[in-house]
Amino acid sequence: MGSINSGQPPQDPLLDYHQLETFAVIGIADYLKLLAEVIEDIPHQMAQISASIQEGNVPQTRARAHGLRGLVAYFGCVAMTSQLARLEELGDFSPVQAAAIHADLQVVWEQTLAAINAWQQSLPSASP
């Protein structure tokens, strides 16, 4: 099973498509607006997690990972949610792990975002 800073890719599915389908009910325009805000915010939140790891602040790292986990869980981002949960569960970590953990999260986020974009393209209302 892949985990934070293990060098292994995540084994969890990227998305919960059933959860994403709930957004089709509220309308694609509203969904896209919400998603745009999340996409803009996630890199900033991941940078904050990395900074708190570099500072050696385990409680703050866990709190930030928990907050981001809640946000991505709302959008059905299963693999990202799992990676953040693993980070929350780490007993301790070294500040030198910050870059590697950030890179792991970044890879999973980029894969997740690609999956979300592909899902959006499959929606009938997403076609021009």
Side-chain angles (χ1 to χ4, degrees):
M1 178 181 301
S3 64
I4 288 290
N5 204 23
S6 72
Q8 298 293 320
Q11 299 301 314
D12 300 304
L14 290 171
L15 298 173
D16 176 351
Y17 292 99
H18 295 293
Q19 186 162 344
L20 285 175
E21 289 170 3
T22 63
F23 288 108
V25 174
I26 67 169
I28 195 67
D30 290 335
Y31 163 76
L32 291 174
K33 182 180 177 185
L34 286 171
L35 182 61
E37 292 171 5
V38 169
I39 289 170
E40 185 176 316
D41 191 44
I42 285 180
H44 174 69
Q45 289 195 37
M46 289 191 317
Q48 287 183 324
I49 290 169
S50 181
S52 64
I53 293 169
Q54 287 174 341
E55 295 166 3
N57 191 332
V58 175
Q60 187 176 61
T61 299
R62 287 186 177 143
R64 287 178 171 168
H66 181 77
L68 181 55
R69 183 169 58 99
L71 179 63
V72 297
Y74 179 74
F75 282 87
C77 302
V78 177
M80 188 76 174
T81 301
S82 294
Q83 289 290 337
L84 290 162
R86 288 180 188 108
L87 179 57
E88 281 185 82
E89 294 168 1
L90 287 178
D92 198 11
F93 39 80
S94 166
V96 299
Q97 292 176 286
I101 290 171
H102 186 267
D104 286 350
L105 289 174
Q106 186 65 37
V107 166
V108 175
W109 173 240
E110 288 170 4
Q111 292 171 347
T112 299
L113 191 53
I116 289 171
N117 289 332
W119 175 79
Q120 285 177 345
Q121 295 305 311
S122 73
L123 297 175
S125 58
S127 302

